[in-house]
Structure formats: C-alpha cells, structure tokens
Amino acid sequence: MTKRALITGITGQDGSYLAELLLDKGYEVFGLVRRAATPSTERIEHLLDRLTLLVGEMTDQTSLIDAMETSQADEVFNLAAQSFVGDSWTVPISTGDVDGLGVTRLLEAIRRVKPSARFYQAATSEMFGKVHEVPQSETTPFHPRSPYGVGKVYGYYATVNYRESYGLHASNGILFNHESPRRGLEFVTRKISDHVARIKQGKATELRLGNLDAKRDWGFAGDYVEGMWRMLQQDAADDYVLATGETHTVREFCEIAFSHVGLDWEKYVVVDERFVRPAEVELLLGDPGKAKERLGWQPQVTFAELVEMMVDADMQRVSKAIAFENATS
Ligand code: NAP
Ligand code: GDD
C-alpha cells in the first residue's frame, strides 16, 4: 500500500526537502498551501506535477479538517509556521495563533478524521532560549525569549498532551538551526551568503548585521528532514533533539563565507542596531545523543561545508542574474 503524507508548510525550506524525500520513498504527498496573490511555490516548482496541493490555513479549522479528509494521510508533518524570530515581536498575536494554537487545530483535525495518523510537530531549540544548561537535550527546561519561542512551547505541549490524552502517535522534533541554499533571505546565514555573492560580483558594498556574538548549532536542512521522517517510523511516539553538537558564532559564519570567495569579512560587515533583538538567544548547542541512539540519525554535512555550499549557490544565482541583465539590456 502506498503511504500518504500531508505536509503543512510545504512551500518552505524544510517542506521542499521533505517533499523530495517522501516522493523518493514512494509516498503520495499532499501539501497545505495558503491562498496568496503571488504563489510561493518557487522551492517546490520542480515537484509540482508529483504533488497534490490543498488550500488551507493554520488559523482555519475547517481547512485543516478538509485537508485530513481529502488526504487521508498516514503521516502528517506540521512544518507551517511564522518562522522568523525577528518578526515575531512585530506580529506576536498572529505568531501565537499560527505557531501555537494552529498545532491544536491540526491535532483536533487528526483526532476527528483519522486518529491512527502519525504526527510530527516542528518544535525548536528556540524553546530553550535563555538556556538553563549546555548542551541542551530533551530534558533541558524551556525559557523562550521571543513570541515565536513562546508560541512554539505551546505547540510542543499541545503535541505531548494529545499523545497523553488520546494516545495519538504525536512526536516533537526539537530541531536546532538548519540551513541550505533554499533558506529565506531574512535568516542570518542566507543573508550573509547572498551578500557575499553580491559584494563579490559588484552588486553590493556592505553587509549590515546585528549581534555577531550569537552562537548557533547550524546543520544542513537536507539532513534534518531525514530525522523528521525517522521519528514517525518508530513504534512509539517520542520527542527528539536534532542538532550537530557544534556551535559557532555569526562572526565565524561571516569569516568562512567571505574568505571562501577571497574577501576579508571585516572590510564589509557593519554592525547595525536595527538588527539587534529585544531579547536575544545568546547560545544554542544541542545534544543529539538520543536521536543517534534511537533513530540512528546523524548529520552528514559539516559547518564549513554548509557555509561553502550556500555561498557557492548564491554565487551561481547572482552570476546568472547578471548575465540575464546584460543579455537583456
Ligand atoms: P519557512 O521556510 O519559513 O517555511 C514556513 C512555511 O509555513 C511556509 O510554507 C509558509 O507558507 C507556511 N506558513 C506560514 N504561515 C502559515 C499559515 N498561517 N498557514 C499555513 N501555512 C503557513 O520555515 P522552515 O525553515 O522550512 O521551517 C519549517 C518549520 O520548522 C517551521 O515550523 C519552523 O518554525 C520550524 N523550525 C525551523 C528550524 C530551522 O532552522 N529552519 C529550526 C527549528 C524549527 P508561505 O510560503 O505561504 O509563507
Ligand atoms: N536574521 C538575522 N539578521 N539575524 C541576525 C542578524 C541579522 O542581520 N545579525 C545577527 N543575527 C543573529 C540573531 O540575533 C540570532 O542570534 C542569530 O543571528 C540567528 O538568527 P536567524 O538566522 O534569524 O535564526 P534564529 O536562530 O533566530 O531562528 C531560526 O532557528 C530557530 C531554531 O533555533 C529560525 O529558523 C527559527 O524558525 C528556528 O526555530
């Protein structure tokens, strides 16, 4: 029997990699997409003829019930979220509605339509926030530092609660930062790789950033979607940290990215207070021991490989855009 999966947030970075992985494994894949004046399907353009897209919204209970009824999914991956921490102070209420209550809405849809479906919740290391211990594991207490983190803690406990109340196969993946050439341009890693490529090719002169001392445990998104899938293949649902077990500063990311194209980062990076957050998560470092032992999961791409992969992809993209500009001017 072909397995059926429903992915919310299929148009995002992780949704696109997960859709590829599930299609390769022979799943029939359904994706929830928001109605928009301009479609946001760029990351899944190459998959569109193999996917079934369903219009829906994490704030609209009816659409989630419909998505479950139509897809009859065996596995549901909830990746939809307002995922940019920086903006969560600007839109705190809708962030809580989508990232927190949205999880309950989807769990309710599963419980009512197909309670045998397995559920993955995209929880996050942002829940650790002002960290109570280093490294952070599944047993580290939460102390979120943004409306985004607060909303995600709600979603985490909603998932645990539906597992305990109704016996749903519902798991939280507590994922540390994971990046790729498909990362949104607002996140620091992609902002850096994009600027490096534009500076190198004469299309920008500087890169304005906030806190250069922030430390993150950065991995490659392609590795992390494999971990999500493995969680739902276990007999019993549980919660798992996915991380590399290494931490690096934003400054180190800049150093490697600029030096990869032969530039000195200190000549181009300008600290700009506008990018400093009202409350910062200073240090994230995950302990992926449980995922390694129980899921056999470990990341494949190193920090330096990740930085270089992102810079190379942006170098190519910018150079194609310049060639197009020249050909059409
Ligand atoms: P992303 O690229 O920002 O994608 C977010 C997705 O959610 C997009 O498809 C977006 O649709 C969709 N979405 C947003 N609001 C929605 C709503 N109200 N209803 C339906 N869909 C909505 O994020 P990502 O990096 O792939 O991350 C995937 C998930 O993992 C998110 O839940 C994020 O919070 C979580 N997470 C990410 C990381 C990381 O480092 N990447 C780490 C831990 C946890 P549009 O295209 O229409 O905007
Ligand atoms: N975005 C951004 N832009 N961040 C900056 C900048 C800047 O100009 N300058 C410094 N930073 C710092 C932020 O203050 C933060 O400490 C760090 O770089 C990483 O910021 P982001 O790349 O925006 O990611 P994040 O860590 O806040 O959140 C991401 O990872 C979480 C998992 O820990 C997102 O993907 C979340 O959705 C995810 O849950």
Side-chain angles (χ1 to χ4, degrees):
M1 281 281 285
T2 304
K3 274 200 195 171
R4 300 156 80 97
L6 171 64
I7 305 175
T8 72
I10 195 166
T11 56
Q13 171 188 257
D14 291 5
S16 67
Y17 284 109
L18 181 64
E20 280 170 6
L21 179 93
L22 297 178
L23 288 169
D24 282 353
K25 290 186 184 296
Y27 279 66
E28 183 174 356
V29 179
F30 296 79
L32 191 82
V33 293
R34 295 194 277 184
R35 194 268 151 192
T38 310
S40 64
T41 45
E42 193 184 328
R43 295 186 182 98
I44 51 168
E45 212 63 52
H46 58 299
L47 305 174
L48 284 179
D49 57 348
R50 300 164 68 201
L51 299 171
T52 306
L53 299 184
L54 308 170
V55 173
E57 248 289 342
M58 295 308 291
T59 52
D60 187 313
Q61 181 74 68
T62 315
S63 69
L64 300 179
I65 292 172
D66 282 352
M68 278 308 296
E69 279 176 347
T70 307
S71 67
Q72 288 298 318
D74 304 297
E75 296 176 15
V76 179
F77 295 87
N78 184 32
L79 309 186
Q82 191 303 90
S83 75
F84 186 45
V85 174
D87 278 352
S88 72
W89 281 276
T90 315
V91 286
I93 294 168
S94 65
T95 300
D97 197 1
V98 173
D99 298 9
L101 275 178
V103 182
T104 302
R105 291 189 191 99
L106 186 52
L107 285 162
E108 265 303 302
I110 292 171
R111 183 172 85 85
R112 283 157 196 267
V113 177
K114 191 171 178 185
S116 62
R118 296 183 172 195
F119 177 75
Y120 172 86
Q121 166 57 15
T124 165
S125 47
E126 274 290 305
M127 301 188 305
F128 299 125
K130 194 172 165 65
V131 299
H132 289 212
E133 63 183 4
V134 182
Q136 298 87 49
S137 73
E138 293 80 3
T139 55
T140 303
F142 299 143
H143 187 149
R145 294 275 278 172
S146 63
Y148 169 80
V150 171
K152 284 286 184 174
V153 170
Y154 179 100
Y156 170 92
Y157 280 117
T159 302
V160 172
N161 183 251
Y162 272 60
R163 182 165 80 215
E164 293 176 354
S165 304
Y166 303 115
L168 293 195
H169 192 294
S171 299
N172 283 290
I174 307 173
L175 271 51
F176 283 63
N177 298 51
H178 45 279
E179 318 293 314
S180 74
R182 297 184 196 169
R183 189 56 142 151
L185 285 163
E186 65 275 36
F187 298 94
V188 77
T189 55
R190 185 74 200 291
K191 184 173 172 183
I192 297 169
S193 64
D194 171 62
H195 276 75
V196 164
R198 290 197 287 123
I199 291 170
K200 180 71 183 176
Q201 298 182 63
K203 290 289 172 190
T205 53
E206 64 177 19
L207 164 59
R208 304 186 83 84
L209 293 175
N211 179 12
L212 301 182
D213 296 319
K215 289 181 145 182
R216 289 291 182 274
D217 180 327
W218 277 299
F220 170 54
D223 290 341
Y224 285 56
V225 298
E226 169 75 28
M228 295 176 189
W229 176 77
R230 288 190 188 200
M231 286 178 214
L232 296 206
Q233 311 317 305
Q234 304 307 303
D235 289 341
D238 204 344
D239 307 317
Y240 298 90
V241 160
L242 297 186
T244 68
E246 264 185 42
T247 192
H248 298 275
T249 59
V250 171
R251 182 180 286 101
E252 281 173 80
F253 198 106
C254 288
E255 277 167 15
I256 301 182
F258 277 91
S259 78
H260 187 54
V261 297
L263 298 178
D264 174 2
W265 74 280
E266 288 185 279
K267 293 193 178 137
Y268 303 98
V269 173
V270 178
V271 172
D272 185 332
E273 289 301 311
R274 283 179 306 156
F275 299 108
V276 174
R277 295 174 177 176
E280 176 65 294
V281 172
E282 301 289 351
L283 160 69
L284 290 176
L285 173 61
D287 171 1
K290 179 175 169 183
K292 186 175 180 193
E293 188 195 315
R294 308 244 184 110
L295 306 177
W297 178 86
Q298 43 187 5
Q300 306 298 317
V301 175
T302 67
F303 177 64
E305 285 168 352
L306 173 68
V307 180
E308 290 171 7
M309 172 205 302
M310 292 178 71
V311 171
D312 287 343
D314 275 323
M315 285 293 285
Q316 244 183 36
R317 182 182 56 85
V318 170
S319 110
K320 268 193 202 153
I322 293 172
F324 181 75
E325 239 172 65
N326 292 341
T328 53
S329 64

